[in-house]
Amino acid sequence: HLAVTWMPKLEELCENLKEDVHPEFRLWMTSMPTPYFPISVLQNSIKMTLEPPTGLKLNLLRSYENMDDNELNDCKKPEVFKKLLFGFCLFHAIIQDRRKFGPIGWNIPYEFTNEDLGVCKKQLKVFLDEYEEIPYKVLNFIGAEINYGGRVTDDKDVRLINTILAIYITPEALSDDYTYSKSGIYKSPIAGEQLDYINYIKTLPLNPAPEAFGLHENAEITTAQNEIKTLLETILSMQPRSTAKGARSRDEIITEIATNIEKKTPAAFDYEAVYKAYPTDYKESMNTVLVQEIIKYNNLLNEMKKTLVEVKKALKGEVVMSEELEFLANSLHDNQVPKLWAEKGFLSEKPLASWIIDLND
């Protein structure tokens, strides 16, 4: 959506704006997230972000507040159009809100946008105006495989999005007693005007149960844990990085933590000796597991020793403080397991101190 080669020119134009411009002059720019947008323009601007509302109710409400009665009735089959449009809007809200369930919702969190819904809405009108019979198969294909599916890369997610849309775009959805969930809370409302839909949406629960997404109620436990974890990580990241006069500096604290962990970190296992003592054999499957675990833990221990030495040098200014080392230092200071170690280590939700104890055990 951006002319990447023109970005330097944009930066130059913004820098050359004189102070004697009209006091009411404002330059309004919109952009999707991109690494090519000029940093200086961002730093000198007032920034606003537009994110999808949290929850099915608010998402649906925004979709219908952006419409009017003329748009809802601008079709040769207005009742069918309203019924299927509500299905698309609810589908749009469902697939966006499924991201909060993590891998249970989507294997990969996709950034679906209002433009995806807008295209489906326009195509729905075209197909209803052009065809006597409603082409449900075509609507499902262009919605799940093209408009939204163009972003979906995981093969299991492709199957999932096709299955979800088939619930909302179906001949049964034209019936007033058709329900989208087992509880019957989410149903196909009677075709009416914009205000009728808004009033119905306002009756929906603010916090939808997992059954609205076709998930087990235990899925909400994972969501709550992820939200609490994100909240605590955000609070930690906002803690002051400076110290009071006379107290130990942050760099000194991190250096001490790194030194203590370095002393506690055991030496790497002697792979050759272990392999000779427990050779991999068809009849001894546990030997194969042991060798694999030795390789995994040696990679972790070597990575820990290397990065602990590097971060101490970076704090002293002997080497460049890279982004990875900065994240490592922040994690040590906040008692969190650094991402570099977690990727190569064992699965654990414990803080760094307890994680080190488990590693030594």
Side-chain angles (χ1 to χ4, degrees), residues 247-278:
R248 289 188 304 167
S249 67
R250 177 174 176 272
D251 290 355
E252 290 174 344
I253 295 172
I254 295 173
T255 301
E256 182 181 347
I257 294 172
T259 302
N260 289 336
I261 294 176
E262 193 174 7
K263 291 178 181 177
K264 294 178 181 178
T265 302
F269 295 96
D270 188 345
Y271 172 77
E272 296 295 335
V274 173
Y275 189 78
K276 288 180 180 178
Y278 303 95

mmCIF file of all heavy atoms in Angstrom, residues 247-278:
data_model
loop_
_atom_site.group_PDB
_atom_site.id
_atom_site.type_symbol
_atom_site.label_atom_id
_atom_site.label_comp_id
_atom_site.label_asym_id
_atom_site.label_seq_id
_atom_site.Cartn_x
_atom_site.Cartn_y
_atom_site.Cartn_z
ATOM 1 N N ALA A 247 22.223 4.302 45.569
ATOM 2 C CA ALA A 247 21.848 2.895 45.425
ATOM 3 C C ALA A 247 22.610 2.276 44.262
ATOM 4 O O ALA A 247 23.205 2.964 43.439
ATOM 5 C CB ALA A 247 20.340 2.777 45.195
ATOM 6 N N ARG A 248 22.577 0.958 44.223
ATOM 7 C CA ARG A 248 23.250 0.275 43.118
ATOM 8 C C ARG A 248 22.547 0.583 41.805
ATOM 9 O O ARG A 248 21.316 0.654 41.741
ATOM 10 C CB ARG A 248 23.266 -1.228 43.354
ATOM 11 C CG ARG A 248 24.189 -1.680 44.473
ATOM 12 C CD ARG A 248 24.294 -3.196 44.494
ATOM 13 N NE ARG A 248 22.963 -3.817 44.603
ATOM 14 C CZ ARG A 248 22.756 -5.108 44.386
ATOM 15 N NH1 ARG A 248 23.761 -5.891 44.016
ATOM 16 N NH2 ARG A 248 21.534 -5.603 44.521
ATOM 17 N N SER A 249 23.331 0.747 40.761
ATOM 18 C CA SER A 249 22.751 1.045 39.455
ATOM 19 C C SER A 249 22.116 -0.219 38.863
ATOM 20 O O SER A 249 22.385 -1.339 39.311
ATOM 21 C CB SER A 249 23.822 1.573 38.499
ATOM 22 O OG SER A 249 24.757 0.559 38.194
ATOM 23 N N ARG A 250 21.280 -0.005 37.877
ATOM 24 C CA ARG A 250 20.621 -1.133 37.214
ATOM 25 C C ARG A 250 21.648 -2.057 36.563
ATOM 26 O O ARG A 250 21.525 -3.282 36.635
ATOM 27 C CB ARG A 250 19.649 -0.598 36.165
ATOM 28 C CG ARG A 250 18.943 -1.667 35.348
ATOM 29 C CD ARG A 250 17.901 -1.042 34.439
ATOM 30 N NE ARG A 250 17.284 -2.033 33.571
ATOM 31 C CZ ARG A 250 17.741 -2.396 32.388
ATOM 32 N NH1 ARG A 250 18.859 -1.836 31.925
ATOM 33 N NH2 ARG A 250 17.130 -3.312 31.655
ATOM 34 N N ASP A 251 22.686 -1.482 35.968
ATOM 35 C CA ASP A 251 23.722 -2.292 35.319
ATOM 36 C C ASP A 251 24.454 -3.167 36.330
ATOM 37 O O ASP A 251 24.796 -4.324 36.042
ATOM 38 C CB ASP A 251 24.731 -1.385 34.592
ATOM 39 C CG ASP A 251 24.123 -0.722 33.367
ATOM 40 O OD1 ASP A 251 22.960 -1.039 33.048
ATOM 41 O OD2 ASP A 251 24.801 0.106 32.735
ATOM 42 N N GLU A 252 24.683 -2.628 37.521
ATOM 43 C CA GLU A 252 25.367 -3.402 38.559
ATOM 44 C C GLU A 252 24.498 -4.580 39.014
ATOM 45 O O GLU A 252 25.002 -5.687 39.247
ATOM 46 C CB GLU A 252 25.697 -2.504 39.749
ATOM 47 C CG GLU A 252 26.791 -1.479 39.464
ATOM 48 C CD GLU A 252 27.001 -0.520 40.616
ATOM 49 O OE1 GLU A 252 26.113 -0.452 41.499
ATOM 50 O OE2 GLU A 252 28.041 0.155 40.651
ATOM 51 N N ILE A 253 23.194 -4.320 39.130
ATOM 52 C CA ILE A 253 22.275 -5.391 39.552
ATOM 53 C C ILE A 253 22.243 -6.506 38.509
ATOM 54 O O ILE A 253 22.323 -7.694 38.843
ATOM 55 C CB ILE A 253 20.860 -4.822 39.771
ATOM 56 C CG1 ILE A 253 20.860 -3.831 40.935
ATOM 57 C CG2 ILE A 253 19.856 -5.949 40.018
ATOM 58 C CD1 ILE A 253 19.549 -3.082 41.102
ATOM 59 N N ILE A 254 22.157 -6.124 37.224
ATOM 60 C CA ILE A 254 22.108 -7.120 36.149
ATOM 61 C C ILE A 254 23.418 -7.901 36.094
ATOM 62 O O ILE A 254 23.419 -9.124 35.913
ATOM 63 C CB ILE A 254 21.821 -6.439 34.799
ATOM 64 C CG1 ILE A 254 20.422 -5.814 34.812
ATOM 65 C CG2 ILE A 254 21.926 -7.445 33.650
ATOM 66 C CD1 ILE A 254 20.114 -4.972 33.591
ATOM 67 N N THR A 255 24.539 -7.204 36.269
ATOM 68 C CA THR A 255 25.845 -7.871 36.247
ATOM 69 C C THR A 255 25.954 -8.898 37.373
ATOM 70 O O THR A 255 26.448 -10.014 37.182
ATOM 71 C CB THR A 255 26.980 -6.836 36.368
ATOM 72 O OG1 THR A 255 26.891 -5.900 35.285
ATOM 73 C CG2 THR A 255 28.338 -7.517 36.336
ATOM 74 N N GLU A 256 25.458 -8.521 38.552
ATOM 75 C CA GLU A 256 25.493 -9.452 39.698
ATOM 76 C C GLU A 256 24.616 -10.674 39.428
ATOM 77 O O GLU A 256 25.012 -11.813 39.709
ATOM 78 C CB GLU A 256 25.022 -8.730 40.956
ATOM 79 C CG GLU A 256 25.062 -9.612 42.203
ATOM 80 C CD GLU A 256 24.557 -8.885 43.436
ATOM 81 O OE1 GLU A 256 24.419 -7.647 43.380
ATOM 82 O OE2 GLU A 256 24.291 -9.574 44.440
ATOM 83 N N ILE A 257 23.411 -10.443 38.878
ATOM 84 C CA ILE A 257 22.506 -11.559 38.563
ATOM 85 C C ILE A 257 23.149 -12.481 37.531
ATOM 86 O O ILE A 257 23.121 -13.712 37.663
ATOM 87 C CB ILE A 257 21.158 -11.026 38.040
ATOM 88 C CG1 ILE A 257 20.423 -10.266 39.147
ATOM 89 C CG2 ILE A 257 20.285 -12.180 37.535
ATOM 90 C CD1 ILE A 257 19.183 -9.534 38.669
ATOM 91 N N ALA A 258 23.751 -11.875 36.493
ATOM 92 C CA ALA A 258 24.387 -12.670 35.440
ATOM 93 C C ALA A 258 25.545 -13.492 35.994
ATOM 94 O O ALA A 258 25.733 -14.659 35.623
ATOM 95 C CB ALA A 258 24.868 -11.754 34.318
ATOM 96 N N THR A 259 26.315 -12.901 36.910
ATOM 97 C CA THR A 259 27.452 -13.610 37.510
ATOM 98 C C THR A 259 26.967 -14.785 38.362
ATOM 99 O O THR A 259 27.539 -15.887 38.307
ATOM 100 C CB THR A 259 28.289 -12.649 38.364
ATOM 101 O OG1 THR A 259 28.735 -11.560 37.549
ATOM 102 C CG2 THR A 259 29.498 -13.367 38.958
ATOM 103 N N ASN A 260 25.924 -14.570 39.149
ATOM 104 C CA ASN A 260 25.385 -15.640 39.993
ATOM 105 C C ASN A 260 24.843 -16.789 39.152
ATOM 106 O O ASN A 260 25.067 -17.967 39.465
ATOM 107 C CB ASN A 260 24.278 -15.086 40.889
ATOM 108 C CG ASN A 260 24.816 -14.174 41.981
ATOM 109 O OD1 ASN A 260 25.973 -14.281 42.362
ATOM 110 N ND2 ASN A 260 23.982 -13.274 42.475
ATOM 111 N N ILE A 261 24.127 -16.448 38.069
ATOM 112 C CA ILE A 261 23.590 -17.500 37.200
ATOM 113 C C ILE A 261 24.725 -18.244 36.505
ATOM 114 O O ILE A 261 24.677 -19.473 36.354
ATOM 115 C CB ILE A 261 22.628 -16.892 36.155
ATOM 116 C CG1 ILE A 261 21.389 -16.325 36.846
ATOM 117 C CG2 ILE A 261 22.215 -17.940 35.118
ATOM 118 C CD1 ILE A 261 20.428 -15.626 35.911
ATOM 119 N N GLU A 262 25.751 -17.488 36.118
ATOM 120 C CA GLU A 262 26.897 -18.113 35.445
ATOM 121 C C GLU A 262 27.579 -19.129 36.372
ATOM 122 O O GLU A 262 28.016 -20.197 35.933
ATOM 123 C CB GLU A 262 27.883 -17.033 35.010
ATOM 124 C CG GLU A 262 28.936 -17.515 34.038
ATOM 125 C CD GLU A 262 29.806 -16.384 33.529
ATOM 126 O OE1 GLU A 262 29.679 -15.257 34.028
ATOM 127 O OE2 GLU A 262 30.632 -16.636 32.625
ATOM 128 N N LYS A 263 27.665 -18.800 37.677
ATOM 129 C CA LYS A 263 28.284 -19.717 38.634
ATOM 130 C C LYS A 263 27.424 -20.966 38.835
ATOM 131 O O LYS A 263 27.943 -22.064 39.045
ATOM 132 C CB LYS A 263 28.488 -19.014 39.976
ATOM 133 C CG LYS A 263 29.558 -17.923 39.946
ATOM 134 C CD LYS A 263 29.661 -17.238 41.303
ATOM 135 C CE LYS A 263 30.714 -16.136 41.282
ATOM 136 N NZ LYS A 263 30.776 -15.412 42.578
ATOM 137 N N LYS A 264 26.085 -20.784 38.786
ATOM 138 C CA LYS A 264 25.175 -21.897 39.032
ATOM 139 C C LYS A 264 24.958 -22.764 37.795
ATOM 140 O O LYS A 264 24.479 -23.895 37.921
ATOM 141 C CB LYS A 264 23.822 -21.370 39.507
ATOM 142 C CG LYS A 264 23.866 -20.681 40.864
ATOM 143 C CD LYS A 264 22.491 -20.143 41.237
ATOM 144 C CE LYS A 264 22.530 -19.423 42.569
ATOM 145 N NZ LYS A 264 21.199 -18.851 42.923
ATOM 146 N N THR A 265 25.285 -22.228 36.628
ATOM 147 C CA THR A 265 25.042 -22.983 35.399
ATOM 148 C C THR A 265 26.026 -24.143 35.296
ATOM 149 O O THR A 265 27.245 -23.936 35.302
ATOM 150 C CB THR A 265 25.207 -22.077 34.162
ATOM 151 O OG1 THR A 265 24.307 -20.975 34.276
ATOM 152 C CG2 THR A 265 24.903 -22.845 32.890
ATOM 153 N N PRO A 266 25.539 -25.355 35.221
ATOM 154 C CA PRO A 266 26.449 -26.517 35.149
ATOM 155 C C PRO A 266 27.177 -26.577 33.811
ATOM 156 O O PRO A 266 26.767 -25.942 32.832
ATOM 157 C CB PRO A 266 25.506 -27.709 35.326
ATOM 158 C CG PRO A 266 24.180 -27.220 34.841
ATOM 159 C CD PRO A 266 24.123 -25.762 35.191
ATOM 160 N N ALA A 267 28.248 -27.327 33.799
ATOM 161 C CA ALA A 267 28.997 -27.511 32.551
ATOM 162 C C ALA A 267 28.205 -28.401 31.597
ATOM 163 O O ALA A 267 27.353 -29.186 32.016
ATOM 164 C CB ALA A 267 30.357 -28.122 32.852
ATOM 165 N N ALA A 268 28.504 -28.265 30.321
ATOM 166 C CA ALA A 268 27.820 -29.086 29.319
ATOM 167 C C ALA A 268 28.190 -30.557 29.504
ATOM 168 O O ALA A 268 29.281 -30.893 29.982
ATOM 169 C CB ALA A 268 28.198 -28.616 27.917
ATOM 170 N N PHE A 269 27.267 -31.438 29.153
ATOM 171 C CA PHE A 269 27.500 -32.877 29.280
ATOM 172 C C PHE A 269 28.517 -33.351 28.243
ATOM 173 O O PHE A 269 28.629 -32.777 27.148
ATOM 174 C CB PHE A 269 26.189 -33.645 29.074
ATOM 175 C CG PHE A 269 25.159 -33.372 30.137
ATOM 176 C CD1 PHE A 269 24.169 -32.423 29.936
ATOM 177 C CD2 PHE A 269 25.179 -34.062 31.339
ATOM 178 C CE1 PHE A 269 23.218 -32.164 30.909
ATOM 179 C CE2 PHE A 269 24.238 -33.815 32.319
ATOM 180 C CZ PHE A 269 23.251 -32.860 32.104
ATOM 181 N N ASP A 270 29.251 -34.368 28.608
ATOM 182 C CA ASP A 270 30.204 -34.973 27.674
ATOM 183 C C ASP A 270 29.433 -35.892 26.720
ATOM 184 O O ASP A 270 29.136 -37.048 27.041
ATOM 185 C CB ASP A 270 31.275 -35.760 28.448
ATOM 186 C CG ASP A 270 32.400 -36.251 27.543
ATOM 187 O OD1 ASP A 270 32.216 -36.243 26.300
ATOM 188 O OD2 ASP A 270 33.456 -36.641 28.072
ATOM 189 N N TYR A 271 29.121 -35.349 25.572
ATOM 190 C CA TYR A 271 28.272 -36.080 24.626
ATOM 191 C C TYR A 271 28.918 -37.390 24.183
ATOM 192 O O TYR A 271 28.257 -38.435 24.119
ATOM 193 C CB TYR A 271 27.975 -35.195 23.412
ATOM 194 C CG TYR A 271 27.273 -35.915 22.288
ATOM 195 C CD1 TYR A 271 25.910 -36.190 22.357
ATOM 196 C CD2 TYR A 271 27.976 -36.346 21.161
ATOM 197 C CE1 TYR A 271 25.260 -36.863 21.334
ATOM 198 C CE2 TYR A 271 27.339 -37.016 20.129
ATOM 199 C CZ TYR A 271 25.982 -37.270 20.221
ATOM 200 O OH TYR A 271 25.356 -37.943 19.212
ATOM 201 N N GLU A 272 30.208 -37.356 23.892
ATOM 202 C CA GLU A 272 30.904 -38.556 23.394
ATOM 203 C C GLU A 272 30.885 -39.668 24.428
ATOM 204 O O GLU A 272 30.637 -40.846 24.110
ATOM 205 C CB GLU A 272 32.347 -38.203 23.018
ATOM 206 C CG GLU A 272 32.471 -37.208 21.858
ATOM 207 C CD GLU A 272 31.934 -37.778 20.558
ATOM 208 O OE1 GLU A 272 31.910 -39.026 20.423
ATOM 209 O OE2 GLU A 272 31.524 -36.985 19.677
ATOM 210 N N ALA A 273 31.128 -39.299 25.690
ATOM 211 C CA ALA A 273 31.142 -40.304 26.747
ATOM 212 C C ALA A 273 29.757 -40.909 26.950
ATOM 213 O O ALA A 273 29.610 -42.129 27.133
ATOM 214 C CB ALA A 273 31.642 -39.674 28.050
ATOM 215 N N VAL A 274 28.734 -40.063 26.918
ATOM 216 C CA VAL A 274 27.359 -40.560 27.087
ATOM 217 C C VAL A 274 26.965 -41.464 25.931
ATOM 218 O O VAL A 274 26.347 -42.523 26.115
ATOM 219 C CB VAL A 274 26.371 -39.372 27.206
ATOM 220 C CG1 VAL A 274 24.924 -39.866 27.209
ATOM 221 C CG2 VAL A 274 26.646 -38.567 28.467
ATOM 222 N N TYR A 275 27.364 -41.067 24.724
ATOM 223 C CA TYR A 275 26.994 -41.849 23.538
ATOM 224 C C TYR A 275 27.651 -43.234 23.556
ATOM 225 O O TYR A 275 27.061 -44.231 23.127
ATOM 226 C CB TYR A 275 27.394 -41.104 22.272
ATOM 227 C CG TYR A 275 26.860 -41.735 21.010
ATOM 228 C CD1 TYR A 275 25.533 -41.546 20.625
ATOM 229 C CD2 TYR A 275 27.674 -42.525 20.207
ATOM 230 C CE1 TYR A 275 25.036 -42.133 19.472
ATOM 231 C CE2 TYR A 275 27.194 -43.115 19.053
ATOM 232 C CZ TYR A 275 25.873 -42.918 18.694
ATOM 233 O OH TYR A 275 25.371 -43.496 17.556
ATOM 234 N N LYS A 276 28.905 -43.282 24.066
ATOM 235 C CA LYS A 276 29.602 -44.570 24.150
ATOM 236 C C LYS A 276 28.986 -45.459 25.243
ATOM 237 O O LYS A 276 28.862 -46.669 25.082
ATOM 238 C CB LYS A 276 31.087 -44.349 24.441
ATOM 239 C CG LYS A 276 31.851 -43.775 23.249
ATOM 240 C CD LYS A 276 33.319 -43.575 23.601
ATOM 241 C CE LYS A 276 34.080 -43.006 22.407
ATOM 242 N NZ LYS A 276 35.509 -42.764 22.748
ATOM 243 N N ALA A 277 28.597 -44.833 26.334
ATOM 244 C CA ALA A 277 28.027 -45.604 27.442
ATOM 245 C C ALA A 277 26.609 -46.062 27.140
ATOM 246 O O ALA A 277 26.190 -47.156 27.555
ATOM 247 C CB ALA A 277 28.049 -44.772 28.726
ATOM 248 N N TYR A 278 25.866 -45.229 26.392
ATOM 249 C CA TYR A 278 24.474 -45.560 26.062
ATOM 250 C C TYR A 278 24.250 -45.387 24.560
ATOM 251 O O TYR A 278 23.610 -44.429 24.123
ATOM 252 C CB TYR A 278 23.506 -44.655 26.844
ATOM 253 C CG TYR A 278 23.692 -44.727 28.337
ATOM 254 C CD1 TYR A 278 24.491 -43.796 28.999
ATOM 255 C CD2 TYR A 278 23.060 -45.714 29.078
ATOM 256 C CE1 TYR A 278 24.664 -43.850 30.379
ATOM 257 C CE2 TYR A 278 23.230 -45.791 30.460
ATOM 258 C CZ TYR A 278 24.031 -44.853 31.096
ATOM 259 O OH TYR A 278 24.207 -44.923 32.459
#
